[in-house]
């Protein structure tokens, strides 16, 4: 094989490729988000065996009339309504009162609370499935989303199940009290040994007022549960990174108590519209029917699938790595992570040796190719931090809720992404003649390989984010090695688009959820990761560096427009109230 050693400083791309790449990225992101969006709500004329958001909304409007924290008269009225509705559904509700001293990691005091347990009788003797949510609210809001929507979804799910063929297993509908005070109802319920005989639990929560219902937590040894979850749900929104991250956070839900008792389960929630969370804005006017439909369809899917599954042994010796992609849940055993990481590390060393033999790698060029994305990540993080400090001082600070949620935070997050892109393109333009395509691509691959090794060791559920883009990265390097001019090959449209779109496919859902659920100040940490992703996308970044005269001004103008929109909306008012911090 003859290798052409020429290294021209500038390689011309087709004039249409930069614009096509940008449009392809926009289309890819749009398609991914479209597949993740909640379904259209079903009306009251929906078939009796299907979930209807409008039918569920009748319950939400009744439950969330006013704040109803544990122990309040309003809480008692809500409880009476729920018991009545469960009786009408034939669930024979059991009102479980507790009035005693309760010691947990949150409290050590006398409490009085009431859980409600209804049962859909199954045809077999198998272990029951437990569907769970809480009916109390915080004192500061009516709790329409947290968690009246979930309670209503379970009532509507019970109605739809009763309208069809009976399930094989009993299905328990548990509505707990005192969740907002520290998971108190769940603590009381699961301390009863009889209640720990359930075979599977699905808990439903909310941390916002709209958006997709995503599954964000599983029990340990989730291999079998994830396989069944993938079969059960028609529109899954979930990834194993969420599970690993949630384990590191101090947040808890009622499912936390069940997991402490070794019970298998899944946790569902939605989090867009975080500004309404735990505020007076968590009312029926801020409930999305699309979100109700998605939360309810997840509950009904859980009931229909796991209610007809043998739940006697859902345990597994291993977990699974998984992520949603275009309406499907891709999953594989976690045990594969280490062999994949070792193989990809060995391949990187092989590529470095091979291209060094071809005299296409130099020490200086390789160090520049490795150091440039690191420097760009540092600079873009510093600039984004300065930008956020300025935004917060000028207007975002006064538009932030006591919970930490900031209005229009997505605008600021996109601005950080564009700042990172500007810095990377500008630095690449500066060093483009000092480091060739292979040196930059191998440098980006090495940084991504380090992230893969770290994730495999500490967060195995995140390893797919790095291993799959690296596979495409290596495919480009193999193709280049088989051609007369490897450097020219790495500038071909297929390589530019492939090394750009695959990382976008992997990370879009993750960043979407992070940008929705976390405050902008924390989003700054994602800038470092975005910078390293751009290092892996070096063919596209080099191409944009050659088109810098219109790419950089366009990105800068986009930032100005986004911040201008944020500025124009930055006034508290009836539709955008901000509540005092306590």
């Amino acid at each position: 094989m003859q290798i052409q050693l020429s290294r021209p400083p500038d390689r011309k791309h087709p004039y249409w490729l930069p614009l096509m790449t940008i449009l392809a990225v926009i289309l890819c992101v749009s398609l991914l988000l479209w597949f993740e969006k909640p379904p259209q709500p079903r009306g009251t004329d929906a078939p009796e065996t299907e979930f209807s958001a409008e039918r569920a909304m009748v319950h939400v409007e009744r439950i969330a009339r006013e704040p109803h924290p544990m122990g309040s008269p309003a809480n008692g009225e809500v409880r009476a309504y729920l018991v009545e509705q469960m009786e009408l559904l034939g669930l024979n509700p059991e009102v479980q009162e507790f009035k005693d001293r309760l010691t947990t990691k949150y409290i050590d005091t006398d409490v009085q609370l009431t859980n409600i347990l209804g049962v859909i009788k199954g045809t077999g003797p198998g272990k029951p499935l437990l569907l769970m949510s809480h009916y109390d609210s915080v004192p500061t809001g009516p709790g329409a989303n947290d968690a009246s929507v979930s309670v209503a979804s379970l009532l509507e799910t019970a109605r739809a199940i009763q309208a069809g063929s009976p399930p094989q297993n009993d299905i328990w509908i548990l509505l707990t009290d005192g969740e907002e005070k520290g998971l108190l109802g769940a603590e009381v319920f699961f301390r009863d040994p009889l209640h720990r005989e359930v075979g599977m639990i699905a808990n439903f929560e909310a941390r916002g007022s709209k958006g997709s219902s995503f599954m964000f937590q599983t029990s340990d040894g989730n291999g079998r549960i994830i396989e069944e979850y993938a079969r059960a749900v028609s529109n899954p929104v979930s990834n194993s990174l969420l599970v690993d991250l949630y384990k590191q956070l101090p947040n808890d839900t009622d499912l936390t108590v069940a997991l402490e008792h070794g019970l298998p389960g899944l946790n569902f929630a939605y989090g867009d519209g975080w500004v309404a969370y735990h505020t007076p804005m968590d009312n029926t006017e801020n409930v999305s029917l699309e979100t109700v439909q998605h939360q309810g369809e997840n509950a009904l899917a859980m009931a229909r699938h796991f209610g007809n599954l043998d739940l006697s042994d859902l345990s597994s010796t291993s977990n699974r790595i998984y992520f949603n992609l275009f309406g499907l849940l891709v999953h594989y055993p976690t045990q594969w992570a280490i062999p994949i990481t070792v193989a990809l590390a060995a391949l990187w060393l092989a590529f470095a040796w091979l291209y060094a033999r071809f005299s296409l790698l130099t020490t200086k060029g390789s160090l520049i190719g490795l150091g440039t994305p690191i420097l760009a990540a540092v600079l873009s993080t510093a600039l984004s931090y300065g930008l956020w400090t300025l935004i917060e001082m000028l207007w975002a600070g006064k538009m932030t809720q006591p919970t930490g949620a900031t209005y229009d935070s997505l605008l600021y997050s996109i601005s950080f992404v564009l700042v990172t892109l500007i810095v990377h393109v500008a630095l690449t333009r500066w060093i483009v003649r000092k480091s060739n395509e292979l040196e930059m691509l191998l440098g980006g691959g090495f940084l991504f390989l380090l992230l893969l090794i770290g994730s495999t060791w500490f967060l195995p559920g995140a390893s797919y984010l790095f291993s799959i883009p690296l596979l495409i990265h290596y495919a480009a390097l193999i193709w280049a090695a088989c051609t007369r001019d490897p450097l020219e090959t790495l500038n071909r449209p297929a390589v530019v688009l492939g090394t750009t779109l695959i990382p976008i496919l992997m990370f879009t859902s993750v960043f979407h959820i992070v940008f929705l659920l976390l405050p902008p100040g924390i989003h700054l940490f994602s800038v470092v990761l975005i910078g390293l992703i751009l290092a892996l996308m070096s063919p596209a970044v080099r191409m944009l560096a050659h088109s810098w005269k219109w790419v950089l001004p366009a990105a800068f103008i986009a930032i100005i427009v986004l911040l201008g929109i944020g500025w124009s909306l930055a006034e508290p008012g009836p539709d955008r109230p901000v509540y005092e911090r306590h």
Side-chain angles (χ1 to χ4, degrees), residues 22 32 52 109 135 219 341 343 347 350 445 471 542 556:
I22 293 173
L32 284 168
S52 163
T109 186
Y135 70 90
S219 48
T341 301
L347 279 173
L471 287 173
R542 286 180 69 99
F556 182 75

Side-chain angles (χ1 to χ4, degrees), residues 274-275 379-401 404-417 419 515 518-527 559 562-563 566-567 570 576 581:
W274 183 23
V275 289
L379 288 177
S380 55
T381 302
L383 288 174
S384 297
Y385 175 76
L387 178 63
W388 170 241
T389 302
L390 180 63
I391 294 169
E392 187 176 36
M393 180 181 66
L394 292 178
W395 71 82
K398 67 179 180 181
M399 298 300 291
T400 299
Q401 299 285 27
T406 302
Y407 287 102
D408 312 311
S409 63
L410 191 59
L411 297 177
Y412 312 134
S413 300
I414 296 173
S415 298
F416 302 154
V417 173
V419 166
F515 288 166
L518 297 176
I522 296 180
H523 298 177
L524 294 172
F525 291 102
S526 65
V527 170
I559 293 174
L562 289 172
L563 298 186
W567 174 274
R576 299 167 69 86
R581 299 170 183 264

Side-chain angles (χ1 to χ4, degrees), residues 437-501:
E437 291 88 336
L438 275 169
E439 290 162 343
M440 289 190 66
L441 196 59
L442 279 171
F446 179 73
L447 294 174
F448 235 59
L449 184 60
L450 292 180
L451 291 174
L452 173 60
I453 293 170
S455 66
T456 300
W457 185 262
F458 296 106
L459 293 172
S463 61
Y464 75 93
L465 291 168
F466 309 107
S467 59
I468 294 176
L470 277 174
L471 287 173
I472 303 303
H473 173 278
Y474 290 172
L477 290 172
I478 291 173
W479 182 19
C482 297
T483 60
R484 289 175 56 84
D485 189 347
L487 301 184
E488 188 277 332
T489 300
L490 294 179
N491 286 284
R492 292 185 179 180
V495 173
V496 173
L497 290 172
T499 56
T500 299
L501 295 182

Side-chain angles (χ1 to χ4, degrees), residues 255-271:
L255 185 65
T256 303
V257 181
L259 299 185
E260 289 172 352
H261 288 285
L263 298 173
L266 300 174
N267 221 346
F268 296 82
Y270 53 96

Side-chain angles (χ1 to χ4, degrees), residues 56-66 68 141-146 148-149 209 276 279-289 292:
M57 196 62 198
V58 173
H59 298 305
V60 177
E61 290 170 348
R62 177 60 183 81
I63 299 168
R65 289 179 176 176
E66 59 182 321
H68 47 281
N145 290 283
D146 183 23
S148 300
V149 163
S209 60
T279 74
M281 286 195 300
D282 190 11
N283 53 40
T284 55
E285 295 178 358
N286 286 317
V287 170
S288 163
L289 281 177
V292 176

Side-chain angles (χ1 to χ4, degrees), residues 241-557:
L241 170 62
L242 290 176
V243 173
D244 282 356
L245 283 179
Y246 192 77
K247 291 177 181 178
Q248 310 304 318
L249 298 175
N251 307 72
D252 290 319
T253 68
D254 279 342
L255 185 65
T256 303
V257 181
L259 299 185
E260 289 172 352
H261 288 285
L263 298 173
L266 300 174
N267 221 346
F268 296 82
Y270 53 96
D272 198 358
W274 183 23
V275 289
Y277 178 66
H278 282 186
T279 74
M281 286 195 300
D282 190 11
N283 53 40
T284 55
E285 295 178 358
N286 286 317
V287 170
S288 163
L289 281 177
E290 289 83 1
T291 298
V292 176
Q293 188 70 34
H294 201 190
Q295 187 87 323
E297 287 187 3
N298 278 336
L300 185 56
M302 291 292 100
R304 289 220 164 107
H305 186 80
F306 287 94
N308 290 288
L309 193 69
D310 182 4
L311 303 180
S312 59
D313 186 14
L314 285 179
S315 62
S316 175
T317 57
S318 65
N319 293 313
R320 292 187 81 81
I321 295 170
Y322 56 92
F323 56 94
N324 61 280
L325 188 66
F326 298 130
L328 300 174
L329 193 76
V330 182
H331 56 94
Y332 58 90
T334 303
Q335 297 96 311
W336 291 10
I338 293 178
I340 289 173
T341 301
V342 172
L344 292 177
L347 279 173
W348 188 92
L349 292 173
F351 284 125
W353 173 82
L354 176 66
Y355 284 111
R357 284 197 63 193
F358 291 166
S359 301
L360 292 176
L361 298 180
T362 65
T363 302
K364 177 182 177 182
S366 297
L367 289 175
I368 291 174
L370 181 64
T372 300
I374 296 175
L375 176 61
V378 171
L379 288 177
S380 55
T381 302
L383 288 174
S384 297
Y385 175 76
L387 178 63
W388 170 241
T389 302
L390 180 63
I391 294 169
E392 187 176 36
M393 180 181 66
L394 292 178
W395 71 82
K398 67 179 180 181
M399 298 300 291
T400 299
Q401 299 285 27
T403 58
T406 302
Y407 287 102
D408 312 311
S409 63
L410 191 59
L411 297 177
Y412 312 134
S413 300
I414 296 173
S415 298
F416 302 154
V417 173
L418 291 174
V419 166
T420 308
L421 177 64
I422 289 173
V423 171
H424 274 256
V425 171
L427 280 179
T428 301
R429 177 67 186 175
W430 176 57
I431 62 96
V432 74
R433 296 178 183 232
K434 301 177 177 65
S435 181
N436 68 26
E437 291 88 336
L438 275 169
E439 290 162 343
M440 289 190 66
L441 196 59
L442 279 171
F446 179 73
L447 294 174
F448 235 59
L449 184 60
L450 292 180
L451 291 174
L452 173 60
I453 293 170
S455 66
T456 300
W457 185 262
F458 296 106
L459 293 172
S463 61
Y464 75 93
L465 291 168
F466 309 107
S467 59
I468 294 176
L470 277 174
L471 287 173
I472 303 303
H473 173 278
Y474 290 172
L477 290 172
I478 291 173
W479 182 19
C482 297
T483 60
R484 289 175 56 84
D485 189 347
L487 301 184
E488 188 277 332
T489 300
L490 294 179
N491 286 284
R492 292 185 179 180
V495 173
V496 173
L497 290 172
T499 56
T500 299
L501 295 182
I502 299 304
I504 296 293
L505 282 173
M506 292 297 101
F507 281 92
T508 292
S509 182
V510 170
F511 281 127
H512 183 224
I513 292 174
V514 167
F515 288 166
L516 291 178
L517 295 182
L518 297 176
I522 296 180
H523 298 177
L524 294 172
F525 291 102
S526 65
V527 170
V528 177
L529 182 55
I530 292 170
L532 298 179
I533 294 170
L534 288 172
L536 196 70
M537 296 161 53
S538 61
V541 174
R542 286 180 69 99
M543 175 193 65
L544 294 177
H546 287 299
S547 307
W548 66 276
K549 290 183 180 180
W550 66 269
V551 171
L552 297 187
F556 182 75
I557 291 171

